Amino acid sequence: MQKKVVLAVVCATAVAGAVTAAIVVKRKMRTGDKWAKAIEIVKDMEEKCATPIGKLKQIADAMVVEMHAGLASEGGSKLKMLISYVDNLPTGDENGLFYALDLGGTNFRVLRVQLGGKDGRLVNQEFAEVPIPPNLMTGTSEVLFDYIAAELAKFVAQEGEELRLPPGKMRELGFTFSFPVIQTSIASGTLVRWTKGFSIDDTVGQDVVMELTKAMERQGVHMHVSALVNDTVGTLAGGRYFHKDVIAAVILGTGTNAAYVESAQAIPKWHGALPESGEMVINMEWGNFRSSHLPLTDYDLALDVESLNAGEQIFEKVISGMYLGEIVRRVLLNMAEEAAFFGDTVPSKLKIPFILRTPDMSAMHHDTSSDLKVVGNKLKDILEIPNTSLKAIRVVVELCNIVATRGAQLAAAGILGILKKMGKDTVKEGDKNRTVIALDGGLYEHYSEYSKCMEDTLNELLGEEVSKSIEIVHSNDGSGIGAALLAASHSHYR
């Protein structure tokens, strides 16, 4: 993979000549005060978003400090460092039929996987996706879970004869529940609050596994919930099943989070008997990380103040897919207001928060056509800004590059923090083991300029020798298949 000399080129010139072109145009346009002002805004953004290697290493060190504090006591850090109660990750020996239920938004998925042990591995998998009627998202707990259990019953009824379980044996299920819960065991956790448009008061404070279990009983579904899973922990489990050296997982999507395998003895706030494996998966909730070293701009601070969770999830707000496009929109709006960048009238669509989504930003960033036609069409179709000049379009692409580069490099610093905490940031003599990190999420998967910059930055931070021992793999669908695998690795019948 490319190293230090190349990195500056890869991350800073994702669109060839964008920065240079802007500077050249600036020189030519000295008589145009408005243009000069627009370029000044972009250059100021570039300076404030700067993430030199020294700063990234400071951020990684700050991440390590917060990880220690979060493991020491509840509430000891902005990083919650939640104990997942997952002390056995899949080994590949898992055998049998397992189900998963993935509830994390306005749809839920049910999955069925057939595991064949070391020889057969993943024999078969099937899934169904079911929309949740809006009225059920604000109704009662019983009605919501009865609906989910009824759909699960329909899915179970489609089992082939070859999958029938022997008499007396219950089906087992992994339950991915992507809402804030306080987990009390591998298969129990109380709901702290609903998010993502749900608002069902009588579920708050209840054990969500018990709510699902009661609904399954009412609907005649004979199934035992063996694991309650966070989607990041599921990604780690899915990664470990296919790559035995996976030690951490990171999700870079609409939101962001990380989980890793910690020594149970290194968790002062753990008061129970140490697990036989000696290990415990920790759900970091790293989106809430904050440090004085983070390069935050006025646009970031304003976005945070106006958000529903002001003061929270600061790291997530500068690196994840929900926010990158919105940051670009805020800078463009300032350029339109302060420098008439799109003409004398400020485009009304540009004033609408979150109208510029990160997938659209990604499409603009990846435009390699000579006339940057994709960018022009996006400005026209989304923001109703027609006939933008090529020189202005180049500046828009440059702005996308600045925001994406900062996010990608900060994500790399976070990963370095995890590796440092685990002692994997150096090469020990005689140690030939690989260190594998499982990545998932739409931002990582589809925004290639972002993911490439993140990986190249991590390589530079680690140095050539260490980076040879570190591998990043794509662990697809951890929130689904990972939950089924964790049900298998924590099966009652092991």
Side-chain angles (χ1 to χ4, degrees), residues 26-336:
K26 181 178 178 183
R27 287 174 183 153
K28 290 180 180 175
M29 299 291 294
R30 286 203 182 277
T31 54
D33 291 341
K34 290 178 180 178
W35 178 258
K37 175 63 176 173
I39 297 302
E40 182 186 322
I41 290 171
V42 174
K43 296 305 291 181
D44 180 65
M45 181 68 178
E46 185 177 35
E47 289 168 11
K48 293 208 164 77
C49 286
T51 44
I53 290 299
K55 179 181 279 290
L56 293 174
K57 287 183 176 178
Q58 287 178 318
I59 291 166
D61 289 341
M63 180 76 80
V64 175
V65 170
E66 293 300 315
M67 289 172 75
H68 279 285
L71 290 172
S73 63
E74 297 296 347
S77 165
K78 280 285 189 182
L79 291 181
K80 293 186 176 69
M81 303 300 285
L82 300 174
I83 295 169
S84 71
Y85 294 88
V86 171
D87 55 359
N88 286 302
L89 285 164
T91 62
D93 291 328
E94 292 76 18
N95 207 316
L97 174 68
F98 295 91
Y99 280 80
L101 169 63
D102 183 0
L103 176 61
T106 54
N107 298 298
F108 68 90
R109 290 190 309 148
V110 286
L111 297 91
R112 174 170 42 240
V113 300
Q114 181 73 22
L115 303 173
K118 272 277 190 277
D119 297 327
R121 302 291 286 187
L122 187 58
V123 177
N124 188 38
Q125 60 176 311
E126 302 168 90
F127 77 93
E129 189 159 333
V130 184
I132 299 175
N135 62 301
L136 298 191
M137 296 168 64
T138 55
T140 66
S141 186
E142 183 173 316
V143 171
L144 173 66
F145 281 99
D146 273 359
Y147 175 76
I148 291 169
E151 292 294 332
L152 182 57
K154 292 178 192 174
F155 187 68
V156 172
Q158 297 166 5
E159 272 183 7
E161 283 297 327
E162 72 281 3
L163 298 178
R164 299 291 181 194
L165 290 174
K169 190 172 183 181
M170 284 185 77
R171 297 175 185 85
E172 294 185 273
L173 174 127
F175 183 18
T176 301
F177 187 76
S178 300
F179 300 91
V181 296
I182 297 174
Q183 203 148 343
T184 48
S185 75
I186 182 61
S188 61
T190 55
L191 177 64
V192 177
R193 66 182 180 278
W194 287 104
T195 57
K196 307 172 190 176
F198 285 79
S199 180
I200 305 173
D201 291 342
D202 64 345
T203 323
V204 176
Q206 299 300 312
D207 181 349
V208 294
V209 172
M210 187 60 66
E211 294 296 299
L212 176 62
T213 299
K214 289 188 294 187
M216 289 193 298
E217 289 172 355
R218 289 191 295 267
Q219 298 296 325
V221 181
H222 302 291
M223 193 172 286
H224 175 76
V225 180
S226 298
L228 177 64
V229 182
N230 167 275
D231 55 355
T232 315
V233 176
T235 299
L236 177 52
R240 174 66 69 89
Y241 184 73
F242 294 105
H243 302 271
K244 64 181 178 62
D245 298 313
V246 166
I247 50 90
V250 177
I251 289 181
L252 292 167
T254 303
T256 183
N257 193 12
Y260 73 104
V261 181
E262 181 61 273
S263 165
Q265 292 182 320
I267 311 172
K269 68 181 180 182
W270 173 261
H271 298 303
L274 291 178
E276 286 183 25
S277 67
E279 296 180 335
M280 180 64 69
V281 174
I282 297 296
N283 166 19
M284 291 177 62
E285 293 292 336
W286 85 348
N288 209 39
F289 171 66
R290 186 165 195 167
S291 164
S292 60
H293 298 297
L294 289 177
L296 302 177
T297 69
D298 290 342
Y299 306 101
D300 303 307
L301 299 175
L303 185 156
D304 175 49
V305 167
E306 295 165 25
S307 68
L308 295 173
N309 56 346
E312 303 294 323
Q313 300 297 107
I314 300 301
F315 196 51
E316 182 170 82
K317 286 170 182 171
V318 289
I319 75 170
S320 80
M322 177 149 186
Y323 301 100
L324 298 182
E326 171 63 4
I327 296 167
V328 171
R329 181 199 69 84
R330 286 172 177 264
V331 182
L332 290 175
L333 178 60
N334 187 39
M335 292 164 67

Side-chain angles (χ1 to χ4, degrees), residues 253-479:
T254 303
T256 183
N257 193 12
Y260 73 104
V261 181
E262 181 61 273
S263 165
Q265 292 182 320
I267 311 172
K269 68 181 180 182
W270 173 261
H271 298 303
L274 291 178
E276 286 183 25
S277 67
E279 296 180 335
M280 180 64 69
V281 174
I282 297 296
N283 166 19
M284 291 177 62
E285 293 292 336
W286 85 348
N288 209 39
F289 171 66
R290 186 165 195 167
S291 164
S292 60
H293 298 297
L294 289 177
L296 302 177
T297 69
D298 290 342
Y299 306 101
D300 303 307
L301 299 175
L303 185 156
D304 175 49
V305 167
E306 295 165 25
S307 68
L308 295 173
N309 56 346
E312 303 294 323
Q313 300 297 107
I314 300 301
F315 196 51
E316 182 170 82
K317 286 170 182 171
V318 289
I319 75 170
S320 80
M322 177 149 186
Y323 301 100
L324 298 182
E326 171 63 4
I327 296 167
V328 171
R329 181 199 69 84
R330 286 172 177 264
V331 182
L332 290 175
L333 178 60
N334 187 39
M335 292 164 67
E337 291 175 339
E338 299 294 323
F341 188 66
F342 296 111
D344 294 332
T345 304
V346 177
S348 58
K349 291 281 188 181
L350 194 53
K351 298 177 184 178
I352 301 173
F354 292 96
I355 192 172
L356 185 63
R357 298 164 57 249
T358 300
D360 299 312
M361 168 189 170
S362 171
M364 293 194 294
H365 195 171
H366 292 142
D367 188 0
T368 56
S369 61
S370 58
D371 58 355
L372 297 176
K373 187 176 181 180
V374 173
V375 185
N377 286 340
K378 289 290 183 186
L379 295 174
K380 180 182 175 183
D381 297 342
I382 299 167
L383 301 174
E384 295 181 358
I385 304 172
N387 307 319
T388 309
S389 68
L390 185 57
K391 67 183 180 184
I393 286 175
R394 286 197 180 107
V395 174
V396 173
V397 176
E398 180 189 352
L399 183 58
C400 293
N401 188 55
I402 291 167
V403 173
T405 296
R406 177 185 64 167
Q409 295 191 322
L410 291 177
I415 294 172
L416 175 63
I418 295 173
L419 292 171
K420 286 174 77 77
K421 173 67 177 71
M422 299 184 74
K424 302 287 189 179
D425 61 320
T426 57
V427 175
K428 296 177 177 61
E429 193 172 343
D431 185 2
K432 299 198 182 325
N433 287 340
R434 294 184 309 159
T435 297
V436 183
I437 302 162
L439 263 288
D440 197 15
L443 185 66
Y444 172 78
E445 187 176 358
H446 301 299
Y447 199 152
S448 58
E449 287 291 346
Y450 181 103
S451 51
K452 186 173 189 335
C453 183
M454 185 269 289
E455 292 185 26
D456 287 343
T457 303
L458 181 61
N459 286 334
E460 183 178 8
L461 287 166
L462 291 167
E464 186 171 357
E465 186 182 8
V466 178
S467 64
K468 287 177 183 175
S469 67
I470 307 291
E471 182 181 353
I472 289 178
V473 298
H474 182 208
S475 178
N476 198 15
D477 191 24
S479 61

